[in-house]
């Protein structure tokens, strides 16, 4: 089959994606972060003035990005005087942004999830000591900088610091190894005068996140005590938390990064909330009445990071044919305003696939058929690529993705799989992966390929699979365990568990215990791709960043060497200066071109 001619080039895809995120609203003004693929992937801070004027605040070569937990999160905060405090990627210090950034913190530590209250910057501090020991605390930094003051220490992890309206109490989320925050975490409140601390909600089998003070004695918080992340009101008097609007839907995503707030409090006491199964839509919840009203907007899904001021809410929305957009919605009038798009110039909308949610037995996914009005689509069964997300406790939504359109406009369909263990469908669905990583995700991915063939949607001889990070593990393992795939593409994938445990970062250093079990060579050999490599019979493409602190390059290189020893066609491409997730224009273009060439060869 000749591939269709497409108006979407590798350069279009590589240049796209400003990665707009982390909005802040104050005094009619809006701030947000913005990635720059054409500037080496650096992250700048943008400002939209009350009169509509737009300007970039952080000049090159500065980059606002925190490496706390390695995945980072919200890297900046805005003071009441409209000054910006940010974390610099280069040295991880906090800086006050003026004509020239001025350091506020000593060298050596990392900071994330900043909050400005009472003239101080509150945040999570991460300290890496000699010998690899990592510790964290919630600290405050004086307005003129200096040595941070520790307020909460002793736990393995902290998130979401929130100071009460009267300034007397500090709320936060904490959890300890070996749990991840979506497995079990606690909402605690510490009285600042004497350090008295109480646990308000949460525990080893309950995930809580995103606390916001309602008043001096009550908080809003999200908990999955019901089996779904729902909103609650929790008091400090010991009374049971009150659910605001119970639903078998999610009001949040798992907190892989720090600083996300999937709801926001409006001036009249109502809440702008995100909720749904799979994608999160924007609604208006009245805590007093318990009512929830969805808003009719151009954006079908939203990033779990909202900001509110008065009757307005600011967030980053998206749709199948609408790029990620910083948008402001006036909830009093319903007016919606675009402030900044992730992509300025879209290709012909007729070349963008329309995703269709599908269920393949118990497995969820989104189907993107080949789409190009200028092409001959008379072929009965086109080739398909199954996309596998990372995490593995993450989720693939239906947001516009030019990487998918790059393929579908060339006659290659895409099936994005949310295998058992993915977020977006409740705690029970997430826990399908407990102790069964390398089994459930692999079986569900293979089942998705078989479903495509059985439904007559794809040529069974021309189905490939691709994924990154934990998704790369699933790709490699699926190719080891099945012959249904014509080829596999792994981006910085995990191939062996013992080296991962030994070298990965602290945040995920115990995650494999939950996913597979305690370290046991015999058990690991039944799951990890490197031990099962004899089962691979299809060609593979492996792509890897050489500066990856999450999945070191040795993981991909070892699998490539093992394939070469067995005579299996394999191409291994390594990129200098790239970390976990490719950010540079040249890398994104080169990797996508290599991926298309790979599909041309295996689908030929």
């Amino acid at each position: 089959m000749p591939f269709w001619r497409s108006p979407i080039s590798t350069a279009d895809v590589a240049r796209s994606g400003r990665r707009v995120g982390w909005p802040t609203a104050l005094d009619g003004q809006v701030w947000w972060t913005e990635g720059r693929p054409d500037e080496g992937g650096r992250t700048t801070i943008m400002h939209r003035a009350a009169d509509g004027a737009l300007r970039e605040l952080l000049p090159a070569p500065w980059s606002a990005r925190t490496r706390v937990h390695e995945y980072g999160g919200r890297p900046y905060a805005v003071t009441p005087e409209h000054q910006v405090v940010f974390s610099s990627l280069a040295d991880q210090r906090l800086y006050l942004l003026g004509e020239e950034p001025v350091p506020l913190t000593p060298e050596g530590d990392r900071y994330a999830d900043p909050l400005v209250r009472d003239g101080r910057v509150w945040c999570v501090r991460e300290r890496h000591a000699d010998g690899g020991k990592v510790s964290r605390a919630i600290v405050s930094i004086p307005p003129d900088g200096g040595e941070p003051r520790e307020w909460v220490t002793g736990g393995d992890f902290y998130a979401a610091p929130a100071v009460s309206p009267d300034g007397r109490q500090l709320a936060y989320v904490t959890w300890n190894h070996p749990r991840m925050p979506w497995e079990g975490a606690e909402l605690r409140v510490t009285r600042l005068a004497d350090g008295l601390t109480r646990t308000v909600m949460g525990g080893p089998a309950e995930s809580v996140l995103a606390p916001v003070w309602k008043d001096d004695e009550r908080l809003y918080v999200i908990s999955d005590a019901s089996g779904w992340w729902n909103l609650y009101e929790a008091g400090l008097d010991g009374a049971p938390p009150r659910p605001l609007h119970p639903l078998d839907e999610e009001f949040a995503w798992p907190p892989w990064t720090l600083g996300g707030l999937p709801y926001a409090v409006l001036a009249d006491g109502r809440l702008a909330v995100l909720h749904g199964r799979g994608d999160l839509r924007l609604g208006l919840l009245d805590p007093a009445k318990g009512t929830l009203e969805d808003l009719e907007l151009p954006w079908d899904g939203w990033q779990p990071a909202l900001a509110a001021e008065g009757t307005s809410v600011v967030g980053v929305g998206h749709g199948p044919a609408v790029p990620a957009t910083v948008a402001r919605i006036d909830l009093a009038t319903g007016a919606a305003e675009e402030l900044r798009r992730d992509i300025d110039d879209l290709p012909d909308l007729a070349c963008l696939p329309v995703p269709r949610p599908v269920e393949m037995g118990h497995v969820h996914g989104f189907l993107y058929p080949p789409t190009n009005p200028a092409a001959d689509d008379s072929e009965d069964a086109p080739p398909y690529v199954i996309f596998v997300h990372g995490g593995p406790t993450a989720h693939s939504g239906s947001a516009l993705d030019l990487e998918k359109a790059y393929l579908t406009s060339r006659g290659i369909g895409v099936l994005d799989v949310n295998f058992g263990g993915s977020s977006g469908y409740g705690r029970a669905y997430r826990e399908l992966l407990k102790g069964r990583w390398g089994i459930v995700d692999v079986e569900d991915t293979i089942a998705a390929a078989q479903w495509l063939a059985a439904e007559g949607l794809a040529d069974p001889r021309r189905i490939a699979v691709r994924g990154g990070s934990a998704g790369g593990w699933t790709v490699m393992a699926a190719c080891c365990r099945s012959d249904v795939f014509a080829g596999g593409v792994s981006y910085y994938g995990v191939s062996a568990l013992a080296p991962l445990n030994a070298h990965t970062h602290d945040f995920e250093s115990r995650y494999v215990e939950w996913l597979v079990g305690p370290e046991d060579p015999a058990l690991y050999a039944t799951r990890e791709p490197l031990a099962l490599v004899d089962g691979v019979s299809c060609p593979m493409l492996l792509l890897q960043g050489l500066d990856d602190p999450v999945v070191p390059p040795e993981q991909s290189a070892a699998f490539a060497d093992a394939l070469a020893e067995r005579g299996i066609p394999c191409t291994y491409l390594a990129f200098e200066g790239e970390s976990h997730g490719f950010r540079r224009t040249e890398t994104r273009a080169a990797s996508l071109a290599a991926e298309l060439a790979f599909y041309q060869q295996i689908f030929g």
Side-chain angles (χ1 to χ4, degrees):
M1 160 200 125
F3 284 176
W4 299 342
R5 294 179 63 85
S6 170
I8 304 172
S9 69
T10 54
D12 293 331
V13 180
R15 286 195 301 263
S16 70
R18 292 193 178 105
R19 301 192 317 276
V20 292
W22 306 117
T24 299
L26 179 65
D27 296 333
Q29 305 175 62
V30 181
W31 294 255
W32 64 87
T33 60
E34 190 169 292
R36 297 290 174 83
D38 57 347
E39 296 181 32
R42 82 176 185 95
T43 300
T44 188
I45 299 172
M46 302 297 294
H47 174 242
R48 166 79 174 242
D51 62 4
L54 178 68
R55 70 187 181 106
E56 179 182 354
L57 298 182
L58 191 63
W62 292 90
S63 183
R65 185 175 157 204
T66 172
R67 290 188 58 194
V68 172
H69 296 180
E70 296 303 342
Y71 293 113
R74 180 182 290 273
Y76 80 101
V78 179
T79 73
E81 298 76 33
H82 305 157
Q83 293 182 296
V84 173
V85 175
F86 74 98
S87 174
S88 169
L89 174 61
D91 59 11
Q92 292 297 290
R93 298 171 75 183
L94 283 180
Y95 286 78
L96 182 66
L97 180 55
E99 291 187 9
E100 289 291 332
V102 177
L104 296 179
T105 56
E107 296 180 354
D109 296 328
R110 304 176 181 184
Y111 302 87
D113 213 349
L115 164 75
V116 179
R117 274 295 309 274
D118 303 326
R120 291 178 287 186
V121 182
W122 300 76
C123 55
V124 176
R125 184 190 67 194
E126 181 177 273
R127 173 165 290 172
H128 292 247
D130 293 340
K133 181 175 175 54
V134 182
S135 62
R136 297 174 184 86
I138 296 181
V139 302
S140 66
I141 295 105
D144 297 328
E147 191 65 33
R149 176 175 177 177
E150 294 183 351
W151 294 94
V152 179
T153 61
D156 290 333
F157 299 96
Y158 296 101
V163 180
S164 61
D166 62 9
R168 296 180 178 181
Q169 302 190 86
L170 174 68
Y172 51 92
V173 172
T174 182
W175 68 98
N176 291 317
H177 283 308
R179 294 190 298 275
M180 300 299 282
W182 48 86
E183 296 166 34
E186 296 178 352
L187 167 62
R188 293 182 184 172
V189 173
T190 294
R191 193 163 62 195
L192 298 177
D194 56 12
L196 178 67
T197 298
R198 71 191 80 182
T199 298
V200 180
M201 287 184 71
E206 178 187 355
S207 171
V208 294
L209 51 92
V212 172
W213 289 94
K214 179 180 181 180
D215 53 39
D216 292 332
E217 296 296 324
R218 292 175 293 177
L219 300 107
Y220 295 121
V221 63
I222 291 176
S223 165
D224 70 352
S226 69
W228 297 83
W229 272 312
N230 278 198
L231 262 165
Y232 292 79
E233 180 183 306
L236 303 185
D237 56 3
R242 178 175 71 91
L244 300 185
H245 190 87
L247 278 180
D248 287 350
E249 294 185 0
E250 303 282 42
F251 283 68
W253 285 351
W256 279 98
T257 57
L258 293 168
L261 190 62
Y263 67 98
V265 182
L266 303 170
D268 61 6
R270 294 180 298 170
L271 306 179
V273 302
L274 301 178
H275 70 103
R277 292 194 182 198
D279 290 330
L280 300 178
R281 58 191 181 275
L282 183 62
L284 193 57
L285 191 156
D286 188 324
K289 299 177 181 178
T291 58
L292 176 60
E293 175 188 0
D294 284 341
L295 304 175
E296 294 296 328
L297 295 166
W299 305 282
D300 299 330
W302 294 79
Q303 294 180 10
L306 298 178
E309 184 185 23
T311 62
S312 294
V313 61
V314 179
V316 178
H318 59 76
V322 182
T325 302
V326 182
R328 177 165 50 193
I329 298 95
D330 188 331
L331 298 174
T333 65
E337 179 185 11
E338 283 193 4
L339 305 184
R340 183 74 156 175
R341 281 191 166 200
D342 187 89
I343 304 169
D344 285 329
D345 299 315
L346 287 176
D348 182 355
L349 295 183
C351 287
L352 299 180
V354 178
R356 174 166 64 93
V358 294
E359 291 190 26
M360 300 155 282
H362 76 280
V363 184
H364 300 273
F366 289 95
L367 186 74
Y368 297 79
T371 305
N372 188 328
D376 176 10
D377 60 355
S378 60
E379 187 177 38
D380 290 335
Y384 259 79
V385 178
I386 293 178
F387 277 44
V388 184
H389 65 70
T393 308
H395 171 80
S396 291
S398 63
L400 172 64
D401 181 353
L402 285 190
E403 279 193 355
K404 294 186 179 76
Y406 178 83
L407 297 177
T408 57
S409 63
R410 285 170 166 78
I412 303 173
V414 169
L415 174 58
D416 216 344
V417 175
N418 284 313
F419 51 80
S422 303
S423 55
Y425 306 98
R427 186 176 184 113
Y429 194 74
R430 294 200 312 271
E431 291 191 339
L432 290 175
L433 206 60
K434 184 177 182 179
R436 303 194 71 201
W437 190 37
I439 298 176
V440 169
D441 54 318
V442 172
E443 290 176 349
D444 288 355
T445 300
I446 294 170
Q450 294 168 335
W451 177 86
L452 280 172
E455 293 290 317
L457 296 170
D459 181 343
R461 300 165 300 172
R462 295 185 294 165
I463 300 175
V465 60
R466 65 97 82 174
S469 190
W473 153 283
T474 303
V475 166
M476 289 185 279
C479 292
C480 291
R481 292 183 176 275
S482 173
D483 60 1
V484 303
F485 298 108
V489 179
S490 169
Y491 283 79
Y492 31 86
V494 177
S495 68
L497 295 176
L500 180 68
N501 288 338
H503 299 294
T504 195
H505 55 119
D506 185 58
F507 178 61
E508 290 184 278
S509 62
R510 304 286 295 279
Y511 194 21
V512 172
E513 291 183 31
W514 188 90
L515 290 168
V516 179
E519 188 158 334
D520 178 348
L523 173 63
Y524 283 8
T526 68
R527 304 289 184 85
E528 56 190 18
L530 193 58
L532 303 171
V533 68
D534 284 345
V536 179
S537 60
C538 64
M540 300 203 69
L541 171 64
L542 309 178
L543 304 106
Q544 177 70 48
L546 292 178
D547 295 340
D548 191 334
V550 178
V551 180
E554 291 79 13
Q555 293 271 347
S556 293
F559 197 72
D561 291 343
L563 290 174
E565 290 175 4
R566 289 156 178 80
I568 302 298
C570 175
T571 299
Y572 172 58
L573 299 178
F575 297 93
E576 294 278 359
E578 288 290 0
S579 181
H580 199 66
F582 296 161
R583 294 173 177 267
R584 299 180 177 183
T585 299
E586 56 271 26
T587 305
R588 297 175 68 190
S591 59
L592 189 59
E595 193 173 346
L596 180 62
F598 179 74
Y599 297 142
Q600 287 173 327
Q601 292 174 355
I602 65 173
F603 292 154

